[in-house]
Amino acid sequence: MSLSNLTKDKQIIAIVCNQFGDTGKGKFSDYFAANWADVIARGTGGNNAGHTIILNGKEKILHLLPSGIIQDSKGKINILGNGMVIDIKALCQELEELEKENLTYKNLMISKDAHIIMPWHVSQDRAKNMSQKSGGIGSTGRGIGPCYADKIARRGIKIADLFDEEVLEYKINKIKQFYPEQEIDFQKTLSELKPYIEKIKPFVKNTIQEIHKLKEQGKKICLEGAQGLFLSVEHGTYPYVTSSDPSINGTASGVGLNAQDVDLTLGIIKFPFMTRVGAGPFPTELGGKSSEEYCAQGLEHDEDYEIKTYIGNANKQEKTIDLMNSEDEFTQGVGIRLAAGEYGATTKRPRRTGWTDAVLAKYARRINGPHFILTKVDSLAGAKQFGICYGHKLNGNTTTEYDQNGKFLKQITPELKFYDGYSDISQVKDFDSLPEGLKQSIKDFEDFTGGKVEIISVGAGRDETIVR
Ligand code: IMP
């Protein structure tokens, strides 16, 4: 089967992450944006997300704009939905990047109801949440949490408010009391924001009305998820989560649609390893607490550091495989990170690595539906064996159900089943030709979660994709 068969008779498709973000949504949202969708819409989060695209042969990272923006000249509509939080300066910087590459964004729509990340949100987020060393949750420091907090506390500032100075002045003056340690001045804020307000003005719309019109016209819509289910404020490992709900429900509501309008939700997971960035429980983490602490040092242990320290002058590929096959779990985790290039797109931080947790995936199937995409499967080539977690064990008792209780998740040990590893699979084109250990693990994963693996990604290239 091909990707186009999967999309047959579908009008709205969503691509969401069923782990902790960074599962490679990019490859598939690019595919759907370029080959299928007329409209690409994002409903949650802000510039905490990161999505690498290739512009005129150069790698660029988009944080806010949906991946379909590079298809703007073909008439594709990209929407920043009502559920998002938007730093308008960061948005204008992304638009300028497009201008530099002679790309258009004339069909962009920005929801008048999205909330704005103000400078005080960023300062507060950096002061309180960014540093894991001082007990923060390791946020991306983009002001996401404080902005959503103001939204929920009913004092947030929406995009629409930028175009009514009276309302804006009232809201900014009112908000001062909640940020006593910061100097907030209406005139100063306004003059700082003025150029960005002018730039985005033509694109600000009632996107909820617009998306429904587009739907009624029969346009094909791709919802581009952000972050991941276990970073959801509703479903994730609270409080180590982001402040939005990137499940299919939050994603649909964040663009003004009903989740039942979505014809196909594809939930992406990395397999057979997974990652997490920032603090919070990660039951299958290789190297456990030492890995968490090591990765919390952030840039001190970035990719350059790890290459220098763990590879040195050795052959990178061979040495990485040695690391993955080490007796020591922490070292295995480093090997997987190097093999799969697991460093943050937004922050460059090393990502924590561990085995894929099917207990989490089973929960994800209940919330986001049964259709899975497995990504990064090729990265583990050369590892002699790999594990998949089918239970969370504490004091002799095993549960196969995810519970967001952080204390519990930090104490449990994962019940792992190990499978034979595999070598290069990037040229494999059909499921039956995959190595036995991998095939068995996918079958077991499906039986356990009740889900169906629709697509297996075995490389970054579009043709390195197995559709079942
Ligand atoms: P925030 O979204 O910046 O508030 O960060 C909250 C938590 O979510 C932190 O642990 C971040 O590392 C994590 N996080 C936020 N956005 C992403 C993402 O796009 N990928 C992976 N982790 C993320």
Side-chain angles (χ1 to χ4, degrees):
M1 192 162 95
S2 66
L3 276 171
S4 52
N5 274 356
L6 197 65
T7 59
K8 213 167 135 225
D9 303 325
K10 310 284 189 296
Q11 189 191 354
I12 306 184
I13 292 182
I15 299 170
V16 296
C17 162
N18 272 342
Q19 288 171 338
F20 294 103
D22 310 316
T23 41
K25 280 188 292 288
K27 171 170 163 177
F28 294 95
S29 38
D30 287 338
Y31 175 86
F32 288 110
N35 297 298
W36 179 79
D38 305 306
V39 180
I40 303 95
R42 242 189 88 176
T44 62
N47 55 333
N48 46 350
H51 175 102
T52 310
I53 51 162
I54 309 291
L55 282 186
N56 297 336
K58 283 174 260 173
E59 260 198 8
K60 289 260 152 68
I61 298 174
L62 294 179
H63 299 284
L64 278 162
L65 293 166
S67 51
I69 198 70
I70 47 176
Q71 316 290 332
D72 178 85
S73 64
K74 297 186 189 130
K76 307 229 171 186
I77 297 170
N78 282 267
I79 300 179
L80 301 183
N82 50 287
M84 289 186 69
V85 287
I86 301 177
D87 180 329
I88 59 170
K89 182 177 174 191
L91 175 58
C92 289
Q93 281 166 351
E94 285 187 21
L95 296 177
E96 278 162 23
E97 290 286 332
L98 297 179
E99 287 161 24
K100 278 192 221 148
E101 303 298 330
N102 291 322
L103 290 167
T104 62
Y105 48 86
K106 55 185 186 305
N107 300 304
L108 175 67
M109 293 186 189
I110 303 165
S111 170
K112 70 174 182 59
D113 295 306
H115 281 244
I116 305 167
I117 298 183
M118 287 295 197
W120 47 90
H121 294 138
V122 179
S123 311
Q124 197 194 46
D125 198 19
R126 298 215 161 144
K128 299 222 157 103
N129 286 313
M130 217 180 157
S131 165
Q132 279 170 254
K133 279 185 255 177
S134 48
I137 69 158
S139 84
T140 58
R142 302 291 196 271
I144 308 295
C147 180
Y148 274 119
D150 280 348
K151 171 176 175 172
I152 300 302
R154 299 172 300 204
R155 53 173 183 256
I157 301 172
K158 289 186 173 205
I159 295 278
D161 301 330
L162 294 173
F163 305 99
D164 186 333
E165 269 188 33
E166 219 176 289
V167 173
L168 190 62
E169 182 168 15
Y170 171 77
K171 285 198 167 182
I172 291 183
N173 284 331
K174 200 167 157 222
I175 213 139
K176 282 184 199 169
Q177 60 182 300
F178 301 103
Y179 297 88
E181 63 287 8
Q182 297 199 46
E183 262 179 51
I184 299 178
D185 176 73
F186 167 65
Q187 280 306 340
K188 194 166 160 260
T189 308
L190 186 62
S191 63
E192 267 171 32
L193 295 183
K194 202 88 196 169
Y196 313 123
I197 299 175
E198 291 308 316
K199 195 171 172 83
I200 65 167
K201 195 171 175 183
F203 308 101
V204 175
K205 303 257 156 57
N206 181 334
T207 56
I208 302 183
Q209 274 177 13
E210 297 290 338
I211 205 163
H212 281 277
K213 271 195 249 161
L214 292 161
K215 177 173 169 264
E216 280 147 30
Q217 287 163 12
K219 299 279 189 231
K220 289 187 260 168
I221 302 173
C222 175
L223 305 188
E224 189 180 280
Q227 282 80 50
L229 187 70
F230 294 93
L231 290 174
S232 160
V233 72
E234 296 295 342
H235 303 286
T237 54
Y238 191 90
Y240 297 97
V241 292
T242 191
S243 301
S244 61
D245 173 24
S247 73
I248 186 55
N249 302 310
T251 303
S253 124
V255 298
L257 291 174
N258 183 324
Q260 288 179 353
D261 293 335
V262 180
D263 303 307
L264 175 67
T265 299
L266 294 165
I268 306 200
I269 64 164
K270 277 189 233 187
F271 192 96
F273 76 98
M274 62 187 285
T275 60
R276 170 163 206 164
V277 190
F282 181 3
T284 58
E285 183 165 15
L286 282 159
K289 191 121 201 78
S290 350
S291 163
E292 180 177 2
E293 282 168 9
Y294 170 92
C295 293
Q297 307 293 316
L299 294 177
E300 286 171 40
H301 294 147
D302 67 359
E303 189 169 14
D304 290 341
Y305 170 88
E306 294 206 313
I307 290 177
K308 207 160 51 180
T309 313
Y310 289 94
I311 308 281
N313 294 325
N315 173 299
K316 185 168 179 229
Q317 202 187 354
E318 282 169 16
K319 184 72 198 188
T320 304
I321 292 175
D322 282 352
L323 294 168
M324 285 200 289
N325 289 322
S326 154
E327 293 289 305
D328 172 63
E329 286 200 346
F330 176 91
T331 313
Q332 283 173 27
V334 174
I336 293 178
R337 187 160 45 246
L338 280 161
E342 295 294 348
Y343 304 87
T346 301
T347 58
K348 314 279 177 232
R349 291 182 282 180
R351 296 177 180 148
R352 300 156 63 192
T353 49
W355 300 124
T356 293
D357 192 335
V359 176
L360 302 193
K362 183 166 124 185
Y363 182 84
R365 191 265 297 157
R366 294 196 170 122
I367 307 298
N368 284 337
H371 309 284
F372 285 93
I373 295 182
L374 311 186
T375 56
K376 292 265 191 151
V377 186
D378 55 303
S379 304
L380 227 67
K384 287 199 186 95
Q385 59 165 19
F386 63 85
I388 299 291
C389 167
Y390 295 106
H392 289 175
K393 190 167 172 185
L394 184 64
N395 302 330
N397 298 316
T398 300
T399 174
T400 56
E401 300 291 338
Y402 160 76
D403 185 321
Q404 40 172 289
N405 177 345
K407 190 173 167 203
F408 170 75
L409 288 176
K410 282 201 164 195
Q411 287 170 345
I412 59 125
T413 44
E415 257 185 16
L416 297 167
K417 177 171 175 187
F418 284 92
Y419 299 89
D420 286 343
Y422 45 91
S423 48
D424 182 27
I425 51 167
S426 56
Q427 300 312 312
V428 177
K429 300 284 175 241
D430 62 291
F431 182 80
D432 289 336
S433 310
L434 284 171
E436 283 310 316
L438 183 56
K439 262 196 306 204
Q440 189 58 49
S441 69
I442 294 173
K443 285 182 186 147
D444 290 350
F445 174 87
E446 290 184 318
D447 286 346
F448 179 84
T449 59
K452 160 120 203 285
V453 172
E454 306 285 0
I455 299 174
I456 300 159
S457 174
V458 292
R462 190 167 290 161
D463 51 341
E464 292 166 325
T465 305
I466 299 170
V467 186
R468 286 171 84 195

